[in-house]
Amino acid sequence: MKDFQLLTTRELSAALQYLASGSKVKLLAGGTDLLVDLAQKSHRLAGIDYLLDISQIKELKLIRVRDNRLEIGSLVTHTDLSENPLTRRYFPMLVQAARVIGSTQIRNRGTVGGNINHASPAADLLPPLLALRSEVELTAQGGSRVLPLSQFVTGPYQTCLRPDELLTTLRLPLPSPDYYGSFQRIGRRKAVTIARLSLALVVRVTNGLFQDSRLVPGSATPYPQPLARVEAALNNQAVAMLDLEEMGRLAGEEMVALSGERWSTPYKKPALASLVKKALLAIMEEVAADGKG
Ligand SMILES: Cc1cc2nc3c(=O)[nH]c(=O)nc-3n(C[C@H](O)[C@H](O)[C@H](O)COP(=O)(O)OP(=O)(O)OC[C@H]3O[C@@H](n4cnc5c(N)ncnc54)[C@H](O)[C@@H]3O)c2cc1C
């Protein structure tokens, strides 16, 4: 790896100017993924001219509601995300996911934007953010574009971010009261662990039927993506009559169809089935408690 220079700025406009310069610039937010890449001389840092520290840009640390959406700045840390009253009110599933990331130190430094852009198959925020149909705002000097997160992450450790762009904001449509969600996760130890398997489930319940189901496992497929066949199987099923075993079995099968048979399949297939059943059961109990089942 060749030498590079470290740059820092407090201004978004200056950061965008550096990115537009034509030099190879790598962004540094909390550094919890990047510094590991640096220490390991990762190919992801090959040929960079500058490391640009954006961690002091205040305008990217905001969480606010605008136009019926929750907007989360890319530099919001996992700690800020999980402690924010708006996130807690509208997206408890996201709070749950942010709370289990790494350790206190990692959560204090690691950011939402870093988690998304690193695009690890085990990134804890990706399954809930995908299930919640989030959009990303990508900004360059010439302007911004907005994409569904599902189109932004294109593969393991891959996104369609252009070299002159920075992820500025994440937008989540506020859910109506008929939406329910559950986040489940299995890790190796209680602290500082990357998820072995996780699952985000979001459904709407209308007249006692599941609708608009979104089921996204983490660490199960090459990169977090919805299990479309299970989602289709869930839609229009009566909440009170659901065959949990069948849904778990379908999820395991779809995971294998997407990732192929691997050394971990004998463990992950039943484990994912179990997470799907737990998530569905949690939602079914909540629906029953609301008298909507
Ligand atoms: C010990 C340890 C435990 C961990 N445990 C977990 C865990 O349990 N769950 C989990 O999901 N992750 C875990 N991680 C990974 C990491 O902490 C998270 O992914 C974190 O959110 C990364 O954010 P960051 O701000 O540190 O990113 P950085 O390391 O600063 O950046 C990561 C990547 O994103 C790019 N980037 C950052 N911000 C932007 C932006 N605004 N626009 C465009 N590109 C950007 C960078 O250029 C880089 O490529 C762990 C890491 C460690 C070291």
Side-chain angles (χ1 to χ4, degrees), residues 26-36 54 74-75 78 100-103 106 109-115 117-118 122-125 161 165-168 185 192-195:
K26 188 78 179 159
L27 297 171
L28 172 72
T32 59
D33 277 320
L34 200 71
L35 294 184
V36 175
I54 56 169
S74 63
L75 289 177
H78 304 307
V100 291
I101 289 179
S103 60
I106 295 292
R109 280 213 66 87
T111 63
V112 174
N115 199 253
N117 277 284
H118 192 61
D124 272 307
L125 293 187
L161 186 80
E165 283 178 328
L166 189 149
L167 169 61
T168 36
R185 183 189 200 255
V192 200
T193 170
I194 298 289

Side-chain angles (χ1 to χ4, degrees), residues 71-289:
E71 295 189 344
I72 303 173
S74 63
L75 289 177
V76 166
T77 64
H78 304 307
T79 301
D80 290 342
L81 186 68
S82 61
E83 289 178 356
N84 184 275
L86 292 171
T87 328
R88 292 167 82 128
R89 174 167 168 202
Y90 293 112
F91 299 105
M93 187 165 81
L94 206 51
V95 171
Q96 228 184 315
R99 275 197 185 141
V100 291
I101 289 179
S103 60
T104 306
Q105 296 90 328
I106 295 292
R107 290 191 292 276
N108 286 345
R109 280 213 66 87
T111 63
V112 174
N115 199 253
I116 294 173
N117 277 284
H118 192 61
S120 156
D124 272 307
L125 293 187
L126 283 179
L129 288 173
L130 285 162
L132 292 165
R133 299 239 168 93
S134 312
E135 293 177 331
V136 288
E137 184 186 60
L138 309 170
T139 305
Q141 242 189 349
S144 295
R145 60 181 175 135
V146 176
L147 282 183
L149 178 60
S150 56
Q151 286 176 25
F152 180 65
V153 178
T154 53
Y157 304 101
Q158 280 167 28
T159 69
C160 62
L161 186 80
R162 292 196 317 245
D164 64 336
E165 283 178 328
L166 189 149
L167 169 61
T168 36
T169 310
L170 198 65
R171 296 182 186 165
L172 286 78
L174 295 186
S176 54
D178 49 356
Y179 275 91
Y180 293 82
S182 174
F183 177 75
Q184 305 285 333
R185 183 189 200 255
I186 302 174
R188 247 177 254 251
R189 297 183 304 269
K190 285 233 182 249
V192 200
T193 170
I194 298 289
R196 270 192 150 184
L197 205 58
S198 68
L199 180 80
L201 173 65
V202 174
V203 292
R204 191 176 76 222
V205 174
T206 313
N207 299 327
L209 301 179
F210 285 114
Q211 305 278 348
D212 195 18
S213 308
R214 307 119 186 224
L215 187 88
V216 188
S219 301
T221 50
Y223 61 101
Q225 52 196 308
L227 298 185
R229 283 191 225 157
V230 188
E231 292 176 348
L234 258 179
N235 287 338
N236 296 316
Q237 294 270 349
V239 175
M241 309 281 285
L242 191 68
D243 184 343
L244 290 174
E245 289 298 327
E246 176 62 3
M247 290 302 146
R249 190 188 65 74
L250 280 177
E253 277 182 4
E254 191 166 359
M255 177 193 80
V256 177
L258 288 168
S259 59
E261 287 282 345
R262 296 180 172 191
W263 64 268
S264 58
T265 304
Y267 161 72
K268 286 199 174 176
K269 207 173 161 186
L272 179 63
S274 160
L275 289 192
V276 168
K277 287 187 275 181
K278 272 173 88 173
L280 282 166
L281 202 57
I283 289 178
M284 287 158 80
E285 283 172 4
E286 228 184 301
V287 172

